Amino acid sequence: METTPLLTRPKKKSLWSRLQFWRFRRKKFNSRVIYLGQLPEEEFPPNYVCNQKYNIITFLPLVLYEQFRFFLNMYFLVMAVSQFIPSIRIGYLYTYWGPLCFVLAVTLFREAVDDFRRYRRDREVNRQRYERIVLDTPIEGYRPFVTEQVPAAELRVGDIVMLHKGQRVPADMILLRTNETMGTVFIRTDQLDGEIDWKLRIPISSTQKLPTDAHLLDINAQIFVENPEKDIHSFIGTCTRLDEEESDSLDIENTLWSGSVVASGQATGLVIYTGYETRSVMNNATPRSKVGRLDLQVNNLTKLLFVATMLISMLLIVLKGFNGPWYGFLFRFVLLFSYIIPISLRVNLEMGKAFYSWTIQRDKKIEGTVMRSTTIPEELGRIKYLLADKTGTLTKNEMVFQKLHLGNALFDESNFYEVEALLTQYVTNDAPSLPTSPTTSTSEGLGASPRQVWQAVLAIALCHNVTPVYDVVEHTDETQSDMGSSVMSESCGGAVPQQQLCDYQASSPDEVALVKWTDMMGISLYRRDLHNISLKLRAANEIKQYSIKQIFPFTSESKMMGIIVQEENSGEITYYVKGADVALSPLLDCRWHSAECTKLAADGLRTLVMAKKTLTEQQYLEFETEYKEARLCVTNRSERTAEALSKLQRGLTLLAVTGVEDKLADDVPRTLGMLRTAGIKIWMLTGDKLETALCIARSLQLGGGAQWRVAAECTSRRDALRLLQTLSAADNDMDLIIEGETLEVCLQHYEEEFVEVLCGCSGVVVARCSPTQKARVARLLRARDHVVAAVGDGGNDVAMIQEADIGVGIEGAEGRAASLAGDVSVRQFSRLARLLLVHGRRAAMRSAALCLFIVHRGLIVSTMQAVFSVVFYFSSVSLYPGFLMVGYGTVFTMLPVFSLVLDKDIPSSTALRYPQLYKQLSKGRQLSYKTFYIWTGISIYQGGVIMYGALVLFEDQLIHIVEISYTALILTELIMVALTVSTWHWLMIGAELVSLLMYIATLLIFTTYFDADFIRHWDFWWKVIVITLVSCLPLYIVKHMHRKWSARQYKNIRK
């Protein structure tokens, strides 16, 4: 077959044809056949990364659309546009357009800056240069190849790209070759799946055996790949050498997904998916837009205030009479009372949220906390349910091998020395070296024979995907790799020099814990590559060589991992398998492991069952033929391979049960106790088995009831009804543990009733819970108007975190996927206590006070306008000029009102000592209709007192009504702020003084609006002071009595 040189690129299509192509074919995914060394004729998406929300054309329309979707902004837009109509114009245009344009300018600037940052990040990624292999001009039949540097955005399907250590994979690729001596390469996928453990990737065997990368262009190979899919853990494809009639099956181990990073050596890959067809882009689901309860309440109050504005305007028109152009007067009244709905409300709330986020990130007691979403910090103060993952969240995800059960013997950390002695006895064929004291002679460990212990520990040492890796301090010719990358260890147990730092790499910390334990027992993982495993026996100081025939990786469906190895000296072929007891139980004749797994799980340990099967050469060859045929199938590959494996798994021999402990995270029991006292219900959602989850829940003191109740297994509607009736008849304060499958059945048939039962429990644990079920639980609680927080540390927690009202991601051993997806990122679970009880409580209380005060500021001036209009014959004339109205909401009162975000009703230490204070906020009483009506009454009273007081005391000086009422209004606002403050901050005092001095300066400077001679008169000041005292003194008395009454419930709290 002729090959088209890669130097010849297809002609670029016209702009119109490109637009038509992407319009009609953007989301059509097809499988493809790629011939190595030539580009396909089909059109595929460009490899261009674009995370921008806008472009030059769409920026302004989209931002304005998003802003004017809010009722508040649309209302003020209509009011501002109406000022262009001369007949209904109230004052100067800047009175309405000034605040609106300021809000829009701030929003446009923020969106522009954020989108420009996204553009710069995208440009940096798209301009990263990679080495692409292309053919040079042939010379007398010789086809030399060269490498050219191209940006990532110019890569296409069919390109062959060379990647070096530390480089990001720019597109989805098939691994063709690597220069590593082991024939494998490690990649990091933490930005893809959240797991920080390195993943082993294997090149195609038919291309890896080629002498150099140049020979890739000389072979005639055809590669088939499946349709682009979202699943990052599976892949189906085939590679066929047409010139040698050789075929290889391709799966996940042969892939390099976009977004992963080459961790060792050099990798040469073939681009198979680009652009939006890559796994990383397909999994970048846009998270739902989260809106806090406070914003929803403010939106409802805004609508209520609009109705009030219309009613007051209609009432004045009715009193005035429907004479003349009454509809014009109606609109003018609506304009006059538009300050009832303050446009500054959203600005102040947004600034407050930014300030809360800033204070959280600066708190040294929760150092490392990051507020990734600054739109909903108040939700931290209203949490009702907390959904927590177990591994890595409530526990450290640090695995320690604790117990080994052989059926007739149990070993733990107190007698692991006996395991080492039995292994030494078997390896060296010496006499028993164990002590024979009466205590140990009757110990449980003596029931095991040396051969039995050897077989169990050997299985643990061989059945895994762990690779020893060490960094060489002083490089030698023998140990240095081609690229100066990490070296695969010749030993992790003593054969490497002391200056070499040894480590293990695996996709699961459980496997590392098992291999480290075998190292302690005297069987060290000496060498590991694609085809061989070498173990060092410390007692005999010898190396045992095993060739790897097949590896069967762990999957969530099979819940087991297997390996077939052949011992070099004896030629014995053995199939080892380990997995969950529920997966291996049907394959084993011996049943003792089930009871022991239950006991180990009751101790809070993660259990694995180890088994083996010895194969003859003929048995293995038959299996290999059938298994290879199944893996070469493009359709029904999973079913065919599962069928082949089921035959292999017949006749397994049970070897042992292992127990690995996941250490509890620091201060978790104390933190959970504080959160329960604060009225927060904590549910643990974990993928672990029921027994392990129950033991962890007990050790964490997760529930608040008398005892834990285990829900019976349900498989049908009748079972679900029986369970529902049983739980409904139980006490409300019970603690319930249920398996995910049972929960799924119950929710399928009795969703409303079962959720009601769960909400009545004091503590809930869901075991064997999938990521989809975690997200569904959060969605069910949110649908019932509960404020839900979700905490997790792994990629499997991202769906739950994004579904909850507040998602908290923990930077843990499983990577940063949860941390990046969360609204808040913390370093450990114990930080939640201060985050919620201190910062969350303060944010909720401060925002509620700020909102009510800004509404009060608008209502009081609107009340004065209404009194003025009624007194002066229902005139639709503004009480104050536009300059004073703008100054009232900004220069003279903005700083004191906004300084309320610094207020603290109690110290942080008191909030942590008495978590029950948090309960008050979960009910939302700080910003309820009741408090809103109270503040409305206060505004009407004060506005009426100021206006009528000015009319009564200055009866002969009504021409100076502006100076009189405006001065009393400013003083009243400043005094009200002072009455609201619980704990003074020096910035609050400064804000009050600065505002007062600025107003006094205005009185003296702007003589156009104020009569300086009149203001200097003593009669003016004492009368203004009297009006101010009448408007504020009763409120001071009421607040003082209220604080005295409230002191009873705080007598043990306040210092």
Side-chain angles (χ1 to χ4, degrees):
M1 176 184 293
E2 291 186 3
T3 59
T4 304
L6 287 178
L7 197 63
T8 306
R9 318 295 293 178
K11 289 185 178 181
K12 292 186 177 181
K13 295 193 174 185
S14 65
L15 178 63
W16 175 252
S17 63
R18 286 170 178 263
L19 291 175
Q20 293 296 313
F21 173 76
W22 296 119
R23 176 183 175 187
F24 295 108
R25 295 194 56 189
R26 176 170 172 77
K27 293 300 180 183
K28 187 175 181 181
F29 298 134
N30 296 313
S31 59
R32 60 207 63 178
V33 175
I34 304 170
Y35 291 93
L36 204 61
Q38 68 181 31
L39 294 175
E41 291 295 329
E42 297 92 343
E43 286 283 350
F44 296 108
N47 196 47
Y48 186 78
V49 176
C50 182
N51 293 306
Q52 293 175 251
K53 294 171 63 177
Y54 318 102
N55 56 39
I56 296 178
I57 299 174
T58 63
F59 174 71
L60 196 60
L62 287 180
V63 174
L64 293 179
Y65 170 75
E66 289 295 326
Q67 288 303 303
F68 291 120
R69 282 197 311 160
F70 290 98
F71 175 80
L72 186 66
N73 288 348
M74 179 56 73
Y75 171 78
F76 268 94
L77 178 64
V78 174
M79 296 295 102
V81 170
S82 68
Q83 293 304 287
F84 289 108
I85 304 174
S87 61
I88 58 176
R89 181 181 295 174
I90 295 297
Y92 297 106
L93 289 177
Y94 67 79
T95 307
Y96 290 89
W97 281 101
L100 181 62
C101 289
F102 174 76
V103 172
L104 293 179
V106 170
T107 303
L108 287 169
F109 178 75
R110 183 183 63 191
E111 290 293 324
V113 170
D114 290 345
D115 212 47
F116 182 70
R117 288 173 179 170
R118 285 189 286 266
Y119 163 74
R120 288 200 302 181
R121 288 196 297 265
D122 291 345
R123 183 179 61 181
E124 182 180 351
V125 172
N126 290 321
R127 289 184 176 180
Q128 286 182 349
R129 306 190 75 80
Y130 293 87
E131 290 186 58
R132 181 171 63 191
I133 298 178
V134 296
L135 285 171
D136 203 351
T137 306
I139 303 175
E140 298 179 358
Y142 173 68
R143 301 192 305 166
F145 87 100
V146 295
T147 59
E148 61 178 7
Q149 295 283 336
V150 295
E154 294 185 12
L155 294 177
R156 290 192 49 191
V157 172
D159 282 341
I160 299 176
V161 181
M162 294 174 60
L163 301 172
H164 301 284
K165 179 182 178 182
Q167 273 194 308
R168 182 187 67 89
V169 180
D172 287 356
M173 305 170 71
I174 291 292
L175 182 58
L176 299 177
R177 293 191 76 256
T178 177
N179 71 334
E180 289 288 272
T181 55
M182 289 182 54
T184 58
V185 66
F186 280 100
I187 62 171
R188 299 198 309 267
T189 61
D190 53 317
Q191 297 302 319
L192 192 63
D193 58 10
E195 298 179 358
I196 62 174
D197 297 291
W198 292 5
K199 306 293 190 306
L200 189 69
R201 289 297 182 259
I202 304 171
I204 303 174
S205 58
S206 57
T207 54
Q208 174 64 21
K209 66 184 181 182
L210 297 174
T212 64
D213 290 342
H215 290 79
L216 291 171
L217 305 179
D218 294 331
I219 64 174
N220 190 358
Q222 169 188 291
I223 296 178
F224 168 82
V225 295
E226 63 176 350
N227 300 340
E229 300 285 347
K230 290 183 65 175
D231 188 3
I232 64 174
H233 301 295
S234 67
F235 174 75
I236 294 177
T238 57
C239 176
T240 305
R241 286 282 300 271
L242 301 177
D243 48 3
E244 295 185 0
E245 296 184 357
E246 179 183 355
S247 294
D248 295 303
S249 64
L250 306 180
D251 56 22
I252 186 64
E253 293 180 337
N254 307 115
T255 60
L256 302 172
W257 294 145
S258 174
S260 56
V261 177
V262 178
S264 66
Q266 174 185 301
T268 303
L270 174 73
V271 177
I272 57 173
Y273 303 125
T274 54
Y276 62 79
E277 291 185 341
T278 60
R279 294 295 206 268
S280 60
V281 175
M282 295 179 73
N283 279 277
N284 278 345
T286 304
R288 70 178 185 89
S289 180
K290 297 183 180 182
V291 180
R293 298 294 197 282
L294 179 79
D295 294 320
L296 297 177
Q297 287 177 304
V298 168
N299 194 48
N300 292 334
L301 293 179
T302 301
K303 295 176 181 177
L304 188 62
L305 292 172
F306 173 74
V307 173
T309 302
M310 296 303 297
L311 290 177
I312 294 173
S313 302
M314 284 298 300
L315 178 61
L316 291 178
I317 288 295
V318 170
L319 295 175
K320 181 182 179 65
F322 293 93
N323 301 320
W326 61 270
Y327 49 85
F329 292 123
L330 174 63
F331 204 88
R332 286 177 63 87
F333 278 127
V334 172
L335 289 169
L336 287 174
F337 298 131
S338 62
Y339 286 96
I340 291 179
I341 309 175
I343 194 172
S344 60
L345 179 59
R346 279 199 61 217
V347 179
N348 280 272
L349 288 177
E350 291 295 327
M351 291 169 59
K353 292 176 181 180
F355 174 75
Y356 308 146
S357 302
W358 180 74
T359 56
I360 289 173
Q361 294 183 161
R362 287 186 70 252
D363 191 344
K364 294 183 178 180
K365 294 185 178 179
I366 51 173
E367 192 174 1
T369 301
V370 179
M371 288 293 299
R372 302 192 184 278
S373 174
T374 60
T375 59
I376 49 177
E378 301 92 350
E379 296 297 277
L380 293 170
R382 306 177 67 173
I383 303 300
K384 183 64 177 176
Y385 287 89
L386 180 67
L387 309 181
D389 176 45
K390 181 184 79 70
T391 304
T393 302
L394 302 177
T395 60
K396 291 183 178 180
N397 201 19
E398 294 179 3
M399 307 301 174
V400 179
F401 191 95
Q402 293 289 3
K403 293 187 179 182
L404 174 70
H405 206 297
L406 304 181
N408 59 346
L410 174 64
F411 300 96
D412 57 24
E413 57 184 0
S414 65
N415 62 347
F416 278 155
Y417 67 89
E418 297 181 8
V419 176
E420 186 175 4
L422 288 169
L423 287 175
T424 302
Q425 179 183 344
Y426 180 83
V427 171
T428 60
N429 295 318
D430 289 339
S433 58
L434 292 173
T436 57
S437 63
T439 303
T440 56
S441 62
T442 58
S443 67
E444 201 173 0
L446 291 176
S449 65
R451 177 177 176 79
Q452 186 183 5
V453 172
W454 161 258
Q455 289 181 340
V457 178
L458 181 64
I460 298 173
L462 289 173
C463 188
H464 53 73
N465 268 316
V466 181
T467 302
V469 180
Y470 63 88
D471 295 326
V472 181
V473 177
E474 296 180 2
H475 294 291
T476 62
D477 294 338
E478 290 78 18
T479 59
Q480 192 170 4
S481 69
D482 294 342
M483 301 301 297
S485 61
S486 297
V487 180
M488 300 307 118
S489 173
E490 290 191 358
S491 170
C492 224
V496 295
Q498 290 296 322
Q499 66 269 24
Q500 296 170 347
L501 305 176
C502 178
D503 193 11
Y504 291 112
Q505 288 296 341
S507 58
S508 169
D510 298 64
E511 290 199 321
V512 174
L514 294 173
V515 172
K516 285 184 176 180
W517 179 80
T518 61
D519 188 5
M520 291 171 55
M521 295 300 104
I523 302 181
S524 303
L525 183 58
Y526 184 82
R527 180 190 292 273
R528 173 74 180 260
D529 59 26
L530 188 60
H531 304 291
N532 299 283
I533 292 181
S534 300
L535 300 179
K536 176 180 174 62
L537 308 183
R538 190 164 59 229
N541 196 26
E542 68 173 280
I543 305 298
K544 289 189 73 71
Q545 301 282 355
Y546 294 87
S547 61
I548 302 174
K549 296 293 186 181
Q550 298 284 346
I551 295 181
F552 313 103
F554 176 87
T555 64
S556 56
E557 293 80 17
S558 66
K559 294 184 174 63
M560 65 179 72
M561 178 264 172
I563 187 172
I564 299 178
V565 296
Q566 184 174 26
E567 209 275 323
E568 188 178 71
N569 295 329
S570 64
E572 184 181 46
I573 301 175
T574 309
Y575 168 54
Y576 291 104
V577 62
K578 67 180 179 183
D581 60 315
V582 293
L584 283 174
S585 289
L587 309 176
L588 299 170
D589 295 330
C590 185
R591 295 296 177 187
W592 62 263
H593 69 282
S594 296
E596 298 305 329
C597 283
T598 302
K599 292 179 182 178
L600 294 180
D603 293 333
L605 303 180
R606 298 158 67 98
T607 59
L608 282 176
V609 177
M610 310 293 304
K612 78 166 190 174
K613 177 181 179 180
T614 302
L615 303 174
T616 64
E617 187 75 26
Q618 182 64 29
Q619 286 176 323
Y620 172 71
L621 291 176
E622 291 176 359
F623 165 76
E624 183 184 36
T625 302
E626 184 179 358
Y627 186 67
K628 186 174 182 180
E629 290 177 356
R631 285 173 54 83
L632 287 173
C633 292
V634 176
T635 58
N636 299 324
R637 177 183 289 186
S638 300
E639 293 78 2
R640 294 280 301 273
T641 54
E643 182 180 353
L645 281 172
S646 65
K647 298 178 181 178
L648 176 68
Q649 291 165 351
R650 295 171 187 166
L652 291 175
T653 301
L654 178 61
L655 295 176
V657 173
T658 63
V660 177
E661 179 187 8
D662 191 358
K663 296 288 186 179
L664 296 182
D666 298 333
D667 283 338
V668 168
R670 186 178 65 87
T671 303
L672 292 175
M674 295 173 64
L675 297 179
R676 279 199 312 274
T677 306
I680 300 174
K681 293 189 175 182
I682 302 160
W683 293 10
M684 186 173 75
L685 312 180
T686 176
D688 280 345
K689 64 186 63 176
L690 187 143
E691 294 81 7
T692 305
L694 179 58
C695 181
I696 293 293
R698 285 172 176 163
S699 61
L700 290 172
Q701 302 175 2
L702 188 67
Q707 61 179 2
W708 283 93
R709 188 185 189 98
V710 180
E713 184 179 353
C714 296
T715 57
S716 63
R717 184 189 185 100
R718 180 174 297 179
D719 294 338
L721 178 60
R722 187 181 303 113
L723 176 61
L724 180 62
Q725 292 172 342
T726 303
L727 297 178
S728 300
D731 297 333
N732 287 334
D733 63 343
M734 69 175 174
D735 298 324
L736 178 67
I737 181 168
I738 185 172
E739 287 196 327
E741 294 181 0
T742 300
L743 178 65
E744 193 72 27
V745 173
C746 293
L747 292 177
Q748 182 180 354
H749 299 293
Y750 304 101
E751 180 178 300
E752 287 293 334
E753 297 84 353
F754 202 76
V755 172
E756 183 178 352
V757 170
L758 291 178
C759 290
C761 298
S762 59
V764 175
V765 173
V766 183
R768 299 290 189 190
C769 189
S770 67
T772 306
Q773 288 173 329
K774 292 181 180 182
R776 186 182 181 188
V777 170
R779 188 161 52 248
L780 289 172
L781 292 174
R782 284 184 50 251
R784 284 146 185 86
D785 205 31
H786 298 301
V787 183
V788 181
V791 191
D793 75 316
N796 59 340
D797 302 316
V798 169
M800 174 180 68
I801 287 172
Q802 293 181 341
E803 188 62 43
D805 293 296
I806 282 284
V808 182
I810 296 178
E811 295 186 18
E814 294 187 26
R816 299 187 63 203
S819 171
L820 295 173
D823 303 299
V824 190
S825 171
V826 297
R827 290 184 176 175
Q828 57 189 41
F829 184 84
S830 59
R831 304 285 175 86
L832 280 182
R834 187 173 181 86
L835 183 66
L836 300 184
L837 303 183
V838 176
H839 292 286
R841 182 177 181 275
R842 285 177 181 171
M845 296 188 69
R846 289 167 173 175
S847 288
L850 187 63
C851 177
L852 291 171
F853 219 99
I854 293 173
V855 170
H856 163 266
R857 190 174 62 185
L859 281 171
I860 190 173
V861 74
S862 298
T863 302
M864 295 172 64
Q865 176 67 55
V867 172
F868 176 78
S869 297
V870 170
V871 170
F872 289 93
Y873 309 102
F874 306 103
S875 172
S876 58
V877 178
S878 177
L879 172 60
Y880 301 121
F883 168 77
L884 294 183
M885 290 303 297
V886 172
Y888 169 69
T890 55
V891 179
F892 305 134
T893 62
M894 184 182 71
L895 289 179
V897 171
F898 186 71
S899 69
L900 291 173
V901 299
L902 299 169
D903 194 19
K904 301 177 183 178
D905 63 331
I906 55 174
S908 57
S909 58
T910 304
L912 293 173
R913 190 179 303 116
Y914 301 96
Q916 57 268 30
L917 290 172
Y918 186 89
K919 290 183 181 179
Q920 303 168 349
L921 285 86
S922 61
K923 300 177 182 178
R925 292 177 179 174
Q926 280 70 28
L927 187 61
S928 63
Y929 285 109
K930 179 182 177 181
T931 54
F932 172 74
Y933 293 140
I934 291 174
W935 277 86
T936 301
I938 292 173
S939 304
I940 294 173
Y941 166 75
Q942 290 183 326
V945 165
I946 293 173
M947 203 64 216
Y948 279 112
L951 293 172
V952 171
L953 295 179
F954 294 88
E955 186 176 355
D956 299 330
Q957 301 166 315
L958 289 180
I959 192 172
H960 299 298
I961 193 71
V962 172
E963 293 97 323
I964 300 165
S965 59
Y966 195 78
T967 303
L969 176 64
I970 297 297
L971 292 176
T972 297
E973 282 298 304
L974 296 180
I975 292 174
M976 284 297 294
V977 171
L979 292 178
T980 305
V981 172
S982 299
T983 304
W984 283 94
H985 189 279
W986 67 269
L987 286 175
M988 292 179 171
I989 299 173
E992 291 268 326
L993 293 176
V994 168
S995 299
L996 183 60
L997 292 175
M998 290 181 68
Y999 179 64
I1000 293 174
T1002 303
L1003 289 176
L1004 299 175
I1005 295 172
F1006 291 91
T1007 56
T1008 306
Y1009 300 99
F1010 305 105
D1011 187 345
D1013 295 332
F1014 174 70
I1015 292 172
R1016 293 191 187 99
H1017 202 280
W1018 171 245
D1019 284 346
F1020 168 79
W1021 285 106
W1022 78 260
K1023 291 179 180 181
V1024 168
I1025 292 172
V1026 168
I1027 293 174
T1028 305
L1029 287 176
V1030 173
S1031 68
C1032 295
L1033 187 59
L1035 296 175
Y1036 170 76
I1037 296 172
V1038 171
K1039 282 184 174 289
H1040 180 73
M1041 294 176 61
H1042 181 265
R1043 287 182 178 177
K1044 286 290 185 182
W1045 176 82
S1046 300
R1048 295 178 181 178
Q1049 57 179 319
Y1050 291 102
K1051 62 182 180 180
N1052 294 324
I1053 298 174
R1054 282 189 175 275
K1055 288 186 176 181

